[in-house]
Amino acid sequence: MMESGAPVCHTCGENVGLKANGEHFVACHECNFPVCKTCFEYDLKEGRKACLQCGSPYDENLLDDVEKASGDQSTMAAHLSKSQEVGVHARHISSVSTLDSEMTEDNGNPIWKNRVESWKEKKSKKKKPAKVKVDTEAQVPPEQQMEDKPAPDASQPLSTIIPIQKSKLAPYRTVIIMRLIILGLFFHYRVTNPVESAFPLWLTSVICEIWFAFSWVLDQFPKWSPIDRETYIDRLSARYEREGEPSELAAVDFFVSTVDPLKEPPLITANTVLSILAVDYPVDKVSCYVSDDGAAMLTFESLVETADFARKWVPFCKKFAIEPRAPEFYFSQKIDYLKDKVQPSFVKERRAMKRDYEEFKIRVNALVAKAQKTPEEGWTMQDGTPWPGNNTRDHPGMIQVFLGYSGARDIEGNELPRLVYVSREKRPGYQHHKKAGAENALVRVSAVLTNAPYILNLDCDHYVNNSKAVREAMCFMMDPQVGRDVCYVQFPQRFDGIDRSDRYANRNTVFFDVNMRGLDGIQGPVYVGTGCVFNRQALYGYGPPSMPSLPKSSSSSCSWCGCCSCCCPSKKEPKDPSELYRDAKREELDAAIFNLREIENYDDYERSMLISQTSFEKTFGLSSVFIESTLMENGGVAESANPSTLIKEAIHVISCGYEEKTAWGKEIGWIYGSVTEDILTGFKMHCRGWRSIYCMPLRPAFKGSAPINLSDRLHQVLRWALGSVEIFLSRHCPLWYGFGGGRLKWLQRLAYINTIVYPFTSLPLVAYCSLPAICLLTGKFIIPTLSNLASVLFLGLFLSIIVTAVLELRWSGVSIEDLWRNEQFWVIGGVSAHLFAVFQGFLKMLAGVDTNFTVTAKAADDAEFGELYIVKWTTLLIPPTTLLIVNMVGVVAGFSDALNKGYEAWGPLFGKVFFSFWVILHLYPFLKGLMGRQNRTPTIVVLWSVLLASVFSLVWVRINPFVNTGNSTATTSSCIAIDC
Ligand SMILES: O=c1ccn([C@@H]2O[C@H](COP(=O)(O)OP(=O)(O)O[C@H]3O[C@H](CO)[C@@H](O)[C@H](O)[C@H]3O)[C@@H](O)[C@H]2O)c(=O)[nH]1
Ligand SMILES: [Mn+2]
Ligand SMILES: [Zn+2]
Ligand SMILES: [Zn+2]
């Protein structure tokens, strides 16, 4: 268990230090748990006299020593241990409340009623200043508050567009055009100069090259006008958080989705939740909804613990303004945490917090350990009743609210954000639509309970890394100049724990730093599934408010790209039927709002009758409370809402039959039909004319984890590619969907086409990667002997490719290494995962098999990239391995051939070997991954690949026995196919 050398203290991360006799300090002789002397003494003063790890009491002698050394600090210890008691007490309460607030459809639930009532009460008194906020602010030492800058002007815009420098962009665009021209000439040459001796090879290669050129165009032109943006958080505060007035910032509902607590460790989810609860935003405007698709009691129980731990963690974060506010990642930062933190109490409180967190971790890990083996009779809750989710495919909807206005307060007595556990109903025979279905359930639950106008959704492993992230998003959403037509603000995905060289391009830097910024200059980034703030109204299927008047304004200025001619739709927008329909819908909506106001005095039954007269039920489903909530464009819950209705409704709207015969997943909410629901959902919004915004704050807003071992990574890429093929084959295919409204800009459409056709590039890619080997084995080549003109063309093409890359790196700031990794993984993923995705996609369409969403496992601990070397057997590994071997055999064969033939064979050999090396170089990270750490490759992979490769090579060797130098040229020119 213990490492040799100097052990590091588990609490503070420093060396445990030495005892008087020169040995390492050991606090617990039972388990040798590393704790340094300082932390140990501190624990004792706190009255914790047992080992944190194994629970055995500490050594008496050690105790005596320490007690002698400290006597003066007893007052503080007493004080702290008192507050600890409070903590324990409160935890007790929160778990009790879990038990008696049974997740049933019982609408007389007293806790619920109280909560809703007091919340309503608060709403009526909301004119009072936000006291809680002032309190926490006062505790922040002046050094940590904003410096005294000139007071920000609230009337100025909250964000600006910063165009990429002309000097960087102009040459980039020039080279792109030149590359296009050279490509044209190149293809003219290629097509008019067939290789007579190897016609099929030549034809294949030309087809492949044309496809590559086409996919280059799809990828390149959406990057035509990239932009950057700057936000002004201080102006946001100045405008919406005026002193002495209640904060006017808009409320935000946070969504966290989780499904399998064994693959997605509860500790990871807990960290995400904690980072949300501690965001730098008014507490009464934050609610956190956790969707548990696995209906796991483990998730539920760890959320109980999390809610309790948040009571200490949140005030600590706010008091010392620490970052990030996910404890695991905060405590594992390898920086000098004392820097900039001058408050004397900080060191002490940090130490105590660290200890508390360790205890929290132990409690959660104990829950995980307990959950490893499901008891035969299923799980039972603490009060003895069976857990309703024991059958994960057949269970009722479950909702539990923690914290919040009427819930437990933090240890300083301040209110905490609401935390809501949601597990939607699952029944056999009902499609649950994976993550998209979970998000839609959350949309409805949150609409009923809090109805914030904005929604931020996160995967369970993506924690808030920048506590001001929501404010960043609000700089766009709440700016009347910008926010009106914005459907969502997407943040880039950033990752922790990726190997330094990022072998499998997990960071996706090229996508997040180049492509997405390009899209931001057109109609906005695509939605990537996490780290995204939505405008709730956009999820309800409406078009952007200003759309009908677009034709008039577009002629004067295009605020999106600056160059109107390129991206704005034609000025004379036709009034197509869908347009008229939407207008009608808006009017209908206005009328309904009006009606609702008129009929305040009517009872619920009459009101719901009235609502159902409209067509809303067909769209939103049979919940009048939900429908009413959709009519409040600025969010909030209807004052007249009856608490008992709310409870019933929350459960009602997550029932599995709720979405039947509605537009959920078809026109509204997250869209169904693809495992990459994100692309589809964003695409729908862009088609309706919304724009999205890409926000890249200096400190990354959110951080997640990524699968770093080869097999998991390939499976992830497979799922993404499969999702794209599914969209390609669906009615939402960007090639033909959504032309009617004319609201999707054509460059944006190009980008969407690119995201759904890229898996098909795998077919020419596999062909092209085997070509060099075939050439080497047969002695033929795909290019005829070069003329001068042809050489110039080849050189020009080669140069233009390199120069575009260089110029792209220059404006985007991406490193050359990242670009190269991206290229490599494009080939690796292309010849394996994408290839399988194409086949599976068509299989699905033809045979009607449903694709499943395989969640990627998230590493729980910092096992120092141990994960990187795991190789799990999967069919995905076969094609790239085969290609590798065939090419290596080809190179060897080529050389031996040249040796046999003598001097004149070396010239042509060079060209072929060059291509072969191109393939091998691209597949190199794959080879490394395959070798694992101990060079142990799964035998099946080796067997299959060797088999395929040798069969392949033998066939060619038989046709073209180049060892026999005598008549080989004659044979090669006459036999080009296997059947000769
Ligand atoms: O039935 C399901 C399946 C998945 N999830 C959640 O979906 C998220 C993403 O799953 P993950 O395995 O981490 O997929 P990644 O490939 O890492 O995710 C990327 O790609 C997905 C689309 O394939 C997007 O949904 C994600 O937001 C995006 O981060 C996780 O929070 C899961 O808990 C559910 O809630 N219900
Ligand atoms: Mn993930
Ligand atoms: Zn220590
Ligand atoms: Zn111990």
Side-chain angles (χ1 to χ4, degrees):
M1 188 86 210
M2 282 275 298
E3 313 103 292
S4 55
V8 172
C9 168
H10 202 75
T11 305
C12 67
E14 265 148 51
N15 246 314
V16 295
L18 300 178
K19 284 193 288 199
N21 61 7
E23 286 171 18
H24 290 308
F25 174 79
V26 180
C28 172
H29 290 281
E30 288 298 317
C31 71
N32 276 352
F33 190 60
V35 173
C36 77
K37 197 156 180 181
T38 333
C39 290
F40 174 69
E41 287 173 9
Y42 181 76
D43 275 0
L44 292 184
K45 277 178 226 143
E46 296 286 290
R48 289 181 281 229
K49 303 204 174 180
C51 169
L52 177 63
Q53 177 164 280
C54 69
S56 49
Y58 284 137
D59 187 350
E60 291 294 321
N61 302 336
L62 280 172
L63 289 181
D64 290 346
D65 289 355
V66 174
E67 255 144 38
K68 256 176 263 149
S70 66
D72 48 334
Q73 302 203 7
S74 53
T75 39
M76 187 217 46
H79 169 74
L80 269 177
S81 57
K82 207 194 276 161
S83 70
Q84 248 222 325
E85 258 169 47
V86 177
V88 171
H89 183 60
R91 173 158 70 249
H92 187 63
I93 290 177
S94 83
S95 47
V96 168
S97 83
T98 315
L99 302 181
D100 56 28
S101 65
E102 277 263 18
M103 292 127 291
T104 58
E105 305 199 9
D106 175 21
N107 51 356
N109 183 322
I111 290 182
W112 257 103
K113 206 171 233 159
N114 278 344
R115 202 188 70 79
V116 176
E117 248 150 35
S118 50
W119 167 26
K120 274 181 66 187
E121 216 167 89
K122 187 190 64 174
K123 285 212 68 132
S124 57
K125 302 191 287 204
K126 71 180 167 207
K127 286 281 110 69
K128 284 199 187 141
K131 193 172 134 284
V132 180
K133 209 200 148 290
V134 176
D135 268 5
T136 43
E137 205 82 303
Q139 279 159 8
V140 178
E143 307 80 35
Q144 284 163 31
Q145 284 179 7
M146 231 183 322
E147 303 132 56
D148 276 337
K149 278 190 237 146
D153 183 356
S155 60
Q156 282 178 303
L158 302 178
S159 68
T160 48
I161 292 176
I162 303 181
I164 305 280
Q165 285 165 33
K166 270 260 145 47
S167 63
K168 287 185 178 166
L169 218 51
Y172 177 63
R173 289 177 175 169
T174 318
V175 170
I176 291 174
I177 295 299
M178 273 165 57
R179 183 164 162 185
L180 203 62
I181 295 168
I182 295 174
L183 259 178
L185 295 173
F186 173 80
F187 280 121
H188 176 77
Y189 166 81
R190 286 290 274 155
V191 173
T192 51
N193 286 276
V195 185
E196 303 296 346
S197 62
F199 192 76
L201 286 187
W202 167 82
L203 190 65
T204 318
S205 63
V206 171
I207 293 174
C208 292
E209 281 157 16
I210 291 178
W211 179 268
F212 293 148
F214 170 66
S215 74
W216 170 69
V217 168
L218 288 183
D219 182 59
Q220 184 66 71
F221 283 88
K223 296 188 276 193
W224 187 256
S225 47
I227 55 165
D228 280 323
R229 292 173 188 274
E230 197 170 359
T231 52
Y232 307 100
I233 292 186
D234 44 350
R235 292 183 195 165
L236 182 80
S237 283
R239 197 182 290 184
Y240 296 109
E241 295 182 298
R242 280 182 292 265
E243 236 170 278
E245 284 172 45
S247 162
E248 284 169 20
L249 289 172
V252 181
D253 287 336
F254 288 70
F255 292 178
V256 177
S257 57
T258 180
V259 59
D260 181 353
L262 299 180
K263 272 188 171 174
E264 306 179 320
L267 196 64
I268 301 277
T269 313
N271 267 278
T272 304
V273 170
L274 288 168
S275 72
I276 291 173
L277 296 177
V279 286
D280 178 11
Y281 209 68
V283 268
D284 55 330
K285 313 249 166 171
V286 175
S287 314
C288 176
Y289 293 84
V290 179
S291 153
D292 177 17
D293 250 357
M297 195 166 86
L298 171 56
T299 308
F300 178 79
E301 285 190 328
S302 65
L303 211 60
V304 176
E305 289 292 347
T306 310
D308 182 51
F309 181 66
R311 299 175 50 252
K312 300 174 203 149
W313 176 248
V314 173
F316 172 76
C317 291
K318 295 200 171 167
K319 181 167 178 188
F320 299 107
I322 60 151
E323 294 281 6
R325 298 184 179 183
E328 185 68 31
F329 303 93
Y330 170 66
F331 287 121
S332 62
Q333 280 180 121
K334 293 197 174 55
I335 54 154
D336 180 11
Y337 58 83
L338 289 177
K339 225 176 97 212
D340 309 328
K341 296 283 194 295
V342 276
Q343 261 184 306
S345 64
F346 177 63
V347 181
K348 219 161 58 202
E349 288 192 35
R350 185 186 191 276
R351 190 186 290 280
M353 200 64 232
K354 174 94 203 257
R355 167 87 197 200
D356 283 337
Y357 178 62
E358 292 300 329
E359 284 178 352
F360 166 71
K361 240 165 111 167
I362 285 168
R363 285 197 300 273
V364 172
N365 286 335
L367 290 174
V368 175
K370 193 186 79 185
Q372 293 303 318
K373 217 180 138 279
T374 317
E376 254 165 51
E377 69 285 359
W379 298 106
T380 28
M381 291 191 289
Q382 271 148 336
D383 67 347
T385 53
W387 169 247
N390 269 326
N391 183 346
T392 52
R393 284 146 193 257
D394 188 2
H395 68 82
M398 297 180 260
I399 294 180
Q400 170 74 44
V401 183
F402 305 100
L403 309 175
Y405 183 72
S406 59
R409 306 208 146 207
D410 73 16
I411 49 167
E412 283 164 15
N414 297 319
E415 194 183 330
L416 285 165
R418 266 171 292 258
L419 174 60
V420 186
Y421 171 88
V422 178
S423 182
R424 60 194 165 121
E425 185 184 19
K426 295 250 177 88
R427 297 293 177 204
Y430 285 90
Q431 254 284 7
H432 62 80
H433 298 293
K434 300 145 204 155
K435 183 185 169 188
E439 299 284 348
N440 282 341
L442 287 187
V443 171
R444 294 191 297 268
V445 170
S446 64
V448 170
L449 298 184
T450 46
N451 198 27
Y454 300 103
I455 289 170
L456 194 163
N457 103 286
L458 291 171
D459 289 353
C460 60
D461 60 336
H462 281 246
Y463 65 89
V464 184
N465 181 59
N466 178 345
S467 62
K468 292 194 176 351
V470 196
R471 290 172 183 268
E472 295 275 347
M474 286 308 147
C475 284
F476 302 105
M477 290 297 199
M478 295 188 73
D479 190 335
Q481 302 291 312
V482 184
R484 252 163 78 82
D485 289 348
V486 174
C487 52
Y488 57 83
V489 176
Q490 175 68 57
F491 292 86
Q493 283 190 30
R494 301 290 187 214
F495 301 94
D496 274 322
I498 290 176
D499 50 303
R500 200 168 302 116
S501 67
D502 192 11
R503 200 189 270 176
Y504 308 122
N506 269 307
R507 274 186 237 281
N508 254 329
T509 322
V510 175
F511 175 73
F512 286 115
D513 289 42
V514 181
N515 296 58
M516 292 283 263
R517 276 154 85 192
L519 286 177
D520 202 13
I522 311 166
Q523 201 173 345
V526 298
Y527 165 51
V528 294
T530 176
C532 185
V533 179
F534 284 96
N535 178 347
R536 195 183 268 273
Q537 286 292 314
L539 285 168
Y540 290 161
Y542 299 116
S546 70
M547 227 27 184
S549 60
L550 182 80
K552 268 168 266 144
S553 63
S554 72
S555 53
S556 55
S557 76
C558 174
S559 56
W560 300 351
C561 63
C563 66
C564 201
S565 52
C566 78
C567 66
C568 288
S570 61
K571 285 168 191 156
K572 223 169 68 241
E573 189 165 316
K575 269 271 183 200
D576 63 302
S578 65
E579 173 78 65
L580 289 170
Y581 167 71
R582 253 173 242 129
D583 285 353
K585 190 121 200 197
R586 280 224 152 253
E587 269 161 34
E588 211 173 289
L589 198 120
D590 288 341
I593 293 172
F594 177 76
N595 280 339
L596 282 173
R597 290 210 187 98
E598 286 293 284
I599 53 167
E600 279 291 78
N601 310 333
Y602 291 75
D603 68 11
D604 274 329
Y605 178 72
E606 282 161 312
R607 274 154 67 85
S608 68
M609 283 305 289
L610 207 119
I611 290 171
S612 68
Q613 280 166 12
T614 69
S615 68
F616 288 112
E617 285 186 349
K618 277 214 190 83
T619 312
F620 295 120
L622 295 166
S623 164
S624 54
V625 177
F626 177 76
I627 291 173
E628 236 177 293
S629 82
T630 67
L631 301 175
M632 329 243 309
E633 285 194 63
N634 297 316
V637 177
E639 308 264 315
S640 57
N642 178 341
S644 69
T645 325
L646 286 190
I647 305 152
K648 248 216 310 246
E649 284 309 305
I651 294 283
H652 176 205
V653 296
I654 57 167
S655 59
C656 56
Y658 184 83
E659 293 182 352
E660 284 197 342
K661 303 213 182 77
T662 65
W664 284 102
K666 299 186 196 96
E667 295 299 323
I668 63 175
W670 269 255
I671 307 298
Y672 304 149
S674 163
V675 271
T676 48
E677 75 300 324
D678 41 4
I679 301 294
L680 200 49
T681 306
F683 174 63
K684 274 288 243 207
M685 291 181 182
H686 284 137
C687 283
R688 292 203 169 97
W690 292 94
R691 87 128 30 249
S692 57
I693 283 191
Y694 198 45
C695 180
M696 306 175 84
L698 221 52
R699 184 182 170 85
F702 308 100
K703 276 187 164 189
S705 64
I708 60 169
N709 74 73
L710 180 58
S711 317
D712 283 350
R713 173 67 168 146
L714 286 178
H715 273 291
Q716 183 186 42
V717 178
L718 168 66
R719 169 155 51 74
W720 291 348
L722 188 56
S724 290
V725 177
E726 283 176 325
I727 299 176
F728 179 84
L729 297 173
S730 76
R731 76 181 176 100
H732 286 120
C733 178
L735 283 167
W736 25 81
Y737 180 81
F739 276 102
R743 289 171 169 189
L744 185 70
K745 299 188 176 185
W746 71 272
L747 275 180
Q748 190 81 15
R749 183 178 294 278
L750 222 57
Y752 273 113
I753 292 175
N754 189 30
T755 56
I756 58 128
V757 302
Y758 78 87
F760 295 96
T761 306
S762 61
L763 298 169
L765 200 60
V766 170
Y768 214 71
C769 284
S770 26
L771 278 179
I774 296 173
C775 289
L776 281 164
L777 290 170
T778 57
K780 292 173 193 157
F781 204 37
I782 51 172
I783 301 164
T785 333
L786 292 183
S787 64
N788 279 345
L789 171 78
S791 317
V792 171
L793 274 180
F794 271 92
L795 203 70
L797 188 63
F798 200 67
L799 276 179
S800 71
I801 290 174
I802 291 180
V803 177
T804 12
V806 169
L807 291 176
E808 199 162 279
L809 297 184
R810 225 163 60 102
W811 71 252
S812 65
V814 170
S815 75
I816 186 139
E817 201 193 350
D818 282 326
L819 185 79
W820 174 232
R821 288 279 178 261
N822 193 62
E823 286 300 303
Q824 286 180 317
F825 200 74
W826 177 69
V827 175
I828 297 172
V831 298
S832 60
H834 300 175
L835 189 69
F836 281 82
V838 172
F839 287 116
Q840 283 185 22
F842 277 93
L843 207 71
K844 184 202 161 181
M845 186 189 62
L846 298 174
V849 231
D850 192 31
T851 47
N852 58 339
F853 191 120
T854 329
V855 209
T856 38
K858 282 98 191 167
D861 308 299
D862 29 21
E864 271 305 304
F865 312 132
E867 273 275 304
L868 178 62
Y869 303 103
I870 298 174
V871 188
K872 294 177 208 148
W873 152 245
T874 141
T875 2
L876 292 181
L877 301 176
I878 294 178
T881 318
T882 311
L883 283 176
L884 254 174
I885 295 177
V886 170
N887 272 288
M888 291 202 266
V889 169
V891 172
V892 175
F895 272 106
S896 61
D897 182 34
L899 282 176
N900 279 332
K901 277 187 185 159
Y903 178 72
E904 72 273 21
W906 288 94
L909 178 71
F910 174 76
K912 297 170 201 169
V913 168
F914 175 84
F915 274 100
S916 238
F917 269 129
W918 179 87
V919 175
I920 295 172
L921 228 60
H922 275 83
L923 290 176
Y924 184 64
F926 174 83
L927 183 67
K928 257 168 78 175
L930 207 60
M931 289 307 172
R933 203 206 294 269
Q934 300 89 6
N935 296 350
R936 263 187 307 167
T937 312
T939 14
I940 307 180
V941 179
V942 178
L943 279 180
W944 266 103
S945 312
V946 169
L947 199 76
L948 281 179
S950 41
V951 166
F952 208 57
S953 320
L954 270 176
V955 168
W956 285 106
V957 170
R958 259 193 65 77
I959 303 161
N960 179 29
F962 45 71
V963 199
N964 172 3
T965 38
N967 55 2
S968 76
T969 34
T971 339
T972 41
S973 55
S974 63
C975 81
I976 37 181
I978 301 178
D979 57 355
C980 67

